[in-house]
Amino acid sequence: MHSPFAQMPEVKMPRRIIELSLTVSLVLPILILGLTTTTPLPAQVAETCDNGIDDDGDGLVDCEDDDCAFPRFFNNTYGNSISRDVALGDLDGDGDLDAWVANWNSQANRIWINDGLGDFADSGQALGNSDSLGVSLGDIDGDGDLDAWVANFGVANRVWLNDGLGNFLDSSQALGNFQSSDVSLGDIDGDGDLDAWVANWNQPNRVWINDGLGNFAESSQALGNSSSYDVALGDAWVANTNSQANRVWINDGLGNFLDSGQALGNSSSYDVALGDLDGDGDLDAWGANGINQASRVWINDGSGNFTDSGQALGSSDSVDVALGDLDGDGDLDAWSANFNGQPNRVWINDGLGNFAESSQALGNSSSYDVALGELEPTKPRVDQRWIGQLFRQRPGTRQLLELRCRPR
């Protein structure tokens, strides 16, 4: 089965990917002053940023010290598959975030177990052998743990049920036979369990209704006929590629969707993330656009009508975005994952939905996906202002980038 990207002449995404290494450097400005004393200066000791000790003797500890100023990233590499999506959640019930990674090119999906300190080990499970493009986690069968719906391209989607300890069993449901690119779980019909909206490539999107025990039935709704690549629920915002307008679908509360009639942009959008970007209490949208087109922020009027904020954010091949409070000021910032060897970017929100690029060029790999989360909750913390970590996806490896200190 060919990649959906192969059907798009404007994007070159070869199946054989040349793996690029990632180096993240922390650059510190240095001011050299003229000294009039002839007394030799003691050797400068570098501040260690997570040990609770004033290593360099300047009275500032860890994140208080400019040596540890935001951002500070560390990376590890995991696996050697062609990975296309990652979802974080507590899969084994021990209180920290593990990772489910969806792999392409008939490579098995993998579960990576967190030791609580941000170090991941392959669980040894080889889950399926399809071309998986998306995964969404949730308690599908109502037993209190996180299960997984995997969106497959060209073959049936699969639901994998968790035994509560992070071991997954195929539910044996073959859900559709579409070119599925993404899935989002939510209580679509208001009965208290998780249903699924599946975004399909050049085929109508589909809604699957859960019976509460993890068994799904197709709702018979054929929603659109675009080159859909991503969906976010609340109601449903669908990101479409090939210069097709994005669409908002309104839920009647019973799981029946109506096209709102809004044609939002004409870019090639590969991802959308919803969140209250301007602080007015409703869900706005960040649309990640590829083909060197600027990403866009769409502002909600509170009634589900969206207006382009007028911000042209970057000009990279952006294929994914995750929202989170990266600078610790209480609003949602954005991490944009970029393809074609372009650095990933962090965009800082002023609290009113206006974004400024942080000037950080994070890596030079071809990234597919990004998920934000606190990956080392059990590590002793001497500075509670640390703000979390990030699990970043790129072809061939998974890299753990650790966000250490908040800007002062």
Side-chain angles (χ1 to χ4, degrees):
M1 178 59 62
H2 295 292
S3 162
F5 292 106
Q7 303 178 34
M8 301 167 54
E10 67 230 54
V11 185
K12 296 181 179 179
M13 299 182 73
R15 290 176 64 90
R16 184 175 181 181
I17 297 173
I18 300 175
E19 183 174 333
L20 300 175
S21 62
L22 171 69
T23 302
V24 179
S25 301
L26 177 64
V27 180
L28 298 177
I30 300 175
L31 177 63
I32 300 177
L33 302 177
L35 301 176
T36 59
T37 178
T38 58
T39 303
L41 295 175
Q44 181 67 38
V45 178
E47 179 74 12
T48 300
C49 298
D50 60 356
N51 64 358
I53 300 172
D54 180 14
D55 301 280
D56 56 7
D58 63 357
L60 301 173
V61 178
D62 292 341
C63 290
E64 294 290 343
D65 197 303
D66 287 339
D67 290 348
C68 300
F70 172 88
R72 186 173 178 81
F73 292 93
F74 302 91
N75 75 80
N76 294 308
T77 58
Y78 298 97
N80 57 1
S81 302
I82 301 176
S83 302
R84 302 300 288 267
D85 195 30
V86 58
L88 298 178
D90 183 8
L91 300 180
D92 57 359
D94 64 353
D96 54 43
L97 294 179
D98 311 298
W100 177 296
V101 177
N103 292 322
W104 179 255
N105 200 29
S106 299
Q107 297 171 322
N109 301 314
R110 295 287 179 177
I111 302 294
W112 295 84
I113 299 300
N114 188 349
D115 66 359
L117 300 176
D119 296 314
F120 288 80
D122 190 337
S123 70
Q125 301 172 74
L127 302 173
N129 59 358
S130 303
D131 287 344
S132 300
L133 283 178
V135 59
S136 186
L137 299 177
D139 184 9
I140 289 174
D141 57 1
D143 65 353
D145 53 41
L146 293 178
D147 311 299
W149 177 301
V150 177
N152 293 319
F153 190 83
V155 297
N157 299 314
R158 293 288 178 177
V159 168
W160 296 84
L161 298 180
N162 188 351
D163 67 358
L165 301 176
N167 305 302
F168 285 82
L169 179 68
D170 189 340
S171 70
S172 299
Q173 300 174 76
L175 301 170
N177 191 21
F178 305 107
Q179 297 181 130
S180 298
S181 54
D182 191 49
V183 58
S184 187
L185 297 179
D187 185 7
I188 289 174
D189 58 357
D191 64 353
D193 55 42
L194 294 179
D195 310 298
W197 175 299
V198 177
N200 294 318
W201 178 267
N202 288 337
Q203 296 167 322
N205 302 311
R206 298 289 179 174
V207 170
W208 296 82
I209 300 301
N210 189 349
D211 67 357
L213 300 176
N215 305 303
F216 288 84
E218 190 175 346
S219 70
S220 78
Q221 300 175 74
L223 302 171
N225 195 23
S226 302
S227 299
S228 299
Y229 208 76
D230 191 72
V231 58
L233 291 181
D235 298 271
W237 176 296
V238 178
N240 295 318
T241 60
N242 282 350
S243 300
Q244 298 169 328
N246 300 316
R247 294 289 178 176
V248 171
W249 296 82
I250 302 301
N251 188 349
D252 67 358
L254 299 176
N256 305 301
F257 286 84
L258 179 68
D259 189 339
S260 69
Q262 301 173 74
L264 302 171
N266 58 359
S267 302
S268 290
S269 300
Y270 287 96
D271 192 58
V272 59
L274 299 180
D276 184 8
L277 300 180
D278 57 358
D280 65 353
D282 54 41
L283 294 178
D284 310 298
W286 178 298
N289 296 325
I291 327 298
N292 295 318
Q293 299 168 321
S295 295
R296 295 288 178 176
V297 168
W298 297 85
I299 300 300
N300 188 348
D301 67 357
S303 298
N305 304 303
F306 289 83
T307 302
D308 190 338
S309 69
Q311 302 172 74
L313 302 171
S315 58
S316 303
D317 287 334
S318 298
V319 293
D320 198 68
V321 62
L323 301 177
D325 184 8
L326 297 179
D327 58 357
D329 64 353
D331 55 42
L332 294 177
D333 310 299
W335 178 295
S336 177
N338 296 322
F339 193 71
N340 281 337
Q342 299 168 327
N344 299 311
R345 297 289 180 176
V346 169
W347 296 84
I348 300 301
N349 190 350
D350 67 357
L352 300 176
N354 304 303
F355 287 83
E357 189 174 348
S358 69
S359 79
Q360 304 167 71
L362 300 170
N364 57 357
S365 304
S366 290
S367 301
Y368 279 122
D369 193 70
V370 57
L372 298 176
E374 171 58 81
L375 299 182
E376 52 174 22
T378 63
K379 185 172 181 178
R381 297 193 180 278
V382 296
D383 188 336
Q384 294 303 316
R385 297 190 309 148
W386 290 14
I387 59 175
Q389 298 160 305
L390 174 149
F391 195 94
R392 174 178 163 272
Q393 191 64 43
R394 71 185 178 99
T397 67
R398 279 149 301 283
Q399 291 195 308
L400 177 63
L401 298 178
E402 185 175 342
L403 177 58
R404 288 289 192 181
C405 292
R406 175 189 299 182
R408 299 186 303 155

